[in-house]
Amino acid sequence: MMENWTGRERTQLDAILDQLIPANRDRNIPAAGELGIADFLTAEANQNSDLCAAVSALLAKAAKLEGGTSPDVVRQLEAALPREFKKLLIATYKGYYSRPDMRACFGVGEHPVHPEGYGVPPEPPEVIAELTAPVRARGPFYRDPAR
């Protein structure tokens, strides 16, 4: 596995990750950086050059901001580089919540979603009606394959 970021950048990334998913000491839940999610991001970035570029851009911007990696600095990163921030956030969530040990902390089974799956209760009919109303109001929207 190729390391995409320097030691200083890795330390900074861990601190940013800790802001994105902070620890909950009362429930014995570690923060994302503390858990080593940067390793997951490195592996993903080795397969996805867009993610690598996004994280690198965020780290370069963070190095120019004052205040370390406070919540305010993380908000500044999000405002300055929203697309890059979104990529980092999604990858962070994937890395963190895909871990069986973390799923167990939140009351979700340690087993993978498939093939066993998780029970998901159906939406009430009124919610389905509300969600599908714009589609139904639009009417048929397709090409007739017979033509």
Side-chain angles (χ1 to χ4, degrees):
M1 175 169 65
M2 185 179 87
E3 187 64 40
N4 299 302
W5 303 292
T6 67
R8 175 179 276 173
E9 289 172 324
R10 175 61 186 260
T11 299
Q12 188 175 40
L13 179 58
D14 283 337
I16 292 169
L17 295 174
D18 285 346
Q19 292 295 325
L20 296 179
I21 303 178
N24 182 328
R25 299 292 175 226
D26 294 337
R27 294 183 57 201
N28 198 28
I29 299 173
E34 175 186 346
L35 192 59
I37 298 304
D39 291 335
F40 174 85
L41 295 175
T42 297
E44 289 294 301
N46 285 333
Q47 301 297 317
N48 180 339
S49 61
D50 288 342
L51 176 62
C52 185
V55 173
S56 295
L58 288 163
L59 291 172
K61 179 70 175 174
K64 296 176 184 174
L65 297 175
E66 303 228 358
T69 50
S70 67
D72 186 52
V73 167
V74 174
R75 280 189 287 275
Q76 289 177 49
L77 290 173
E78 181 178 19
L81 300 165
R83 284 189 215 133
E84 291 84 350
F85 189 85
K86 184 176 180 180
K87 288 179 185 192
L88 171 63
L89 190 61
I90 290 170
T92 300
Y93 287 168
K94 284 180 182 178
Y96 191 87
Y97 294 109
S98 67
R99 291 178 53 127
D101 55 337
M102 289 298 92
R103 288 195 306 267
C105 290
F106 298 102
V108 181
E110 292 184 21
H111 65 278
V113 176
H114 294 290
E116 296 173 31
Y118 297 110
V120 178
E123 299 290 347
E126 53 276 359
V127 171
I128 296 296
E130 181 183 341
L131 290 172
T132 60
V135 175
R136 287 184 282 110
R138 184 179 66 211
F141 192 77
Y142 56 88
R143 291 186 191 176
D144 184 351
R147 290 186 184 180

